[in-house]
Amino acid sequence: MSYEKIVSLLGSDAENLLQYQSQTISKEQLHAPGPGFVDRIFAQSNRSPQVLRSLQQLFNAGRLAGTGYLSILPVDQGIEHTAGASFAPNPIYFDPENIIKLALEGGCNAVATTFGNLAMMSRKYAHKIPFVVKINHNELMTYPNKYDQIMFGSVDEAWNLGAAAVGATIYFGSEESTRQIIEVAEAFERAHQLGMATILWCYTRNNAFKKDGVDYHVAADLTGQANYLGVTIQADIIKQKLPENNGGFKAIGFGKTNEKMYSELTTDNPIDLTRYQVANCYMGRAGLINSGGESKGASDLADAVRTAVINKRAGGMGLISGRKAFQKDMNAGVELLNAIQDVYLANEITLA
């Protein structure tokens, strides 16, 4: 996809997103993605040579190989949202081989999916595309529904099926978050011992985070703090939803804040809100990948490109987009994944 096509897809947002120059956290303060990111950042950390090799495996795969950016296909929705609801738009993805084929044909750096999916296809594909095993899930079958992340297998099992990384979710703010933090911290420690990289889905979850008709689950201040907790337990990469607002701590009336969080470190521009998320990832030392969100049909291509532009210009490391890709026929899914990657390959799109 050409830069002109990207501009066209952004429509009326093009100038605001592509020409914007941030006056909040300076881009010079960020540890921006780019070639040699593992050498610049992780080679001085406590990560072992085996973890460095796994991280480099992620960065060296797919169409974005060598750029320092990541495009990952995540398909855990068969558990998180039920398989029927997730795959009814395109039933071929009940078969885990087609999930891996979409990631390969779509030029992704990695495929992130369940123990069952990756174990079933391990010997055929583990050497062809990096595996990210999602080790915990919200199982959704309990009635009435409850929202908790529970372990579905062991880190050792992920290593045995050839994974380059493990992924896990913590519902920060939920009643179960304390247990989840402990479980995932221990799992990430074991993953690093075995030489795998770690990716944390840093989601907020609490009914109180919706107030006066505003959903603060996607507030920059709440998601930023979730990111900070994630890098504290040594997540190498943070997955976070794109921020849509700010001021969650103040509106809900909990936590601790400083007015500069809102007056100097952020503005209402989505690039600045996302940069605040990057800042909470140790100024980008742990990469921020934003999620692609649900499929909305005709607008998916434009929405995905918009999210990628915001993430890249904010200092993020890439996108992890699933439903927008696999809830279509495979050719359309490949086209969408390639469009995301083209944003990161476009030299015209730089840090704001």
Side-chain angles (χ1 to χ4, degrees), residues 62-63 71-75 77 86-87 90 92-93 95-112 125 129 321-338 341:
R63 293 182 70 231
S71 168
I72 298 175
L73 177 71
V75 187
Q77 292 86 351
S86 299
F87 303 137
N90 192 350
I92 69 168
Y93 292 112
D95 185 338
E97 183 167 16
N98 287 321
I99 293 171
I100 299 173
K101 283 182 176 179
L102 175 60
L104 275 167
E105 294 183 22
C108 293
N109 298 74
V111 58
Y125 289 103
I129 185 171
S321 186
R323 283 170 288 176
K324 282 183 169 63
F326 70 75
Q327 290 183 338
K328 298 175 172 60
D329 68 72
M330 190 169 290
N331 288 336
V334 168
E335 179 186 8
L336 185 136
L337 293 169
N338 287 170
Q341 295 151 12

Side-chain angles (χ1 to χ4, degrees), residues 169-327:
T169 299
I170 294 176
Y171 284 154
F172 291 103
S174 70
E175 291 184 7
E176 300 84 5
S177 62
T178 300
R179 189 205 79 245
Q180 292 169 15
I181 291 169
I182 294 170
E183 284 181 353
V184 175
E186 291 175 347
F188 279 8
E189 179 182 7
R190 180 58 178 158
H192 280 157
Q193 288 173 349
L194 291 171
M196 291 180 288
T198 57
I199 304 175
L200 187 63
W201 279 237
C202 284
Y203 289 168
T204 62
R205 173 79 71 171
N206 191 307
N207 289 335
F209 290 176
K210 296 181 179 180
K211 186 172 181 181
D212 299 329
V214 180
D215 188 351
Y216 291 103
H217 285 96
V218 286
D221 54 352
L222 296 188
T223 55
Q225 182 60 21
N227 291 357
Y228 196 83
L229 296 176
V231 293
T232 300
I233 63 171
Q234 298 190 70
D236 301 318
I237 298 164
I238 296 293
K239 178 192 177 187
Q240 185 56 267
K241 297 178 180 180
L242 200 72
E244 297 178 12
N245 52 43
N246 205 357
F249 281 125
K250 294 197 294 183
I252 299 161
F254 83 114
K256 295 183 182 296
T257 63
N258 185 302
E259 188 54 36
K260 290 185 177 181
M261 291 166 57
Y262 310 102
S263 63
E264 296 185 16
L265 300 185
T266 55
T267 69
D268 291 336
N269 189 288
I271 293 171
D272 287 335
L273 295 175
T274 307
R275 179 159 295 181
Y276 185 75
Q277 291 183 339
V278 174
N280 277 278
C281 295
Y282 294 164
M283 285 294 191
R285 288 182 184 272
L288 172 71
I289 53 176
N290 287 119
S291 54
E294 66 180 314
S295 174
K296 297 178 181 178
S299 67
D300 282 352
L301 185 63
D303 291 344
V305 166
R306 179 182 184 275
T307 302
V309 168
I310 292 169
N311 172 272
K312 184 180 182 183
R313 299 213 69 219
M317 186 169 276
L319 240 57
I320 181 164
S321 186
R323 283 170 288 176
K324 282 183 169 63
F326 70 75
Q327 290 183 338

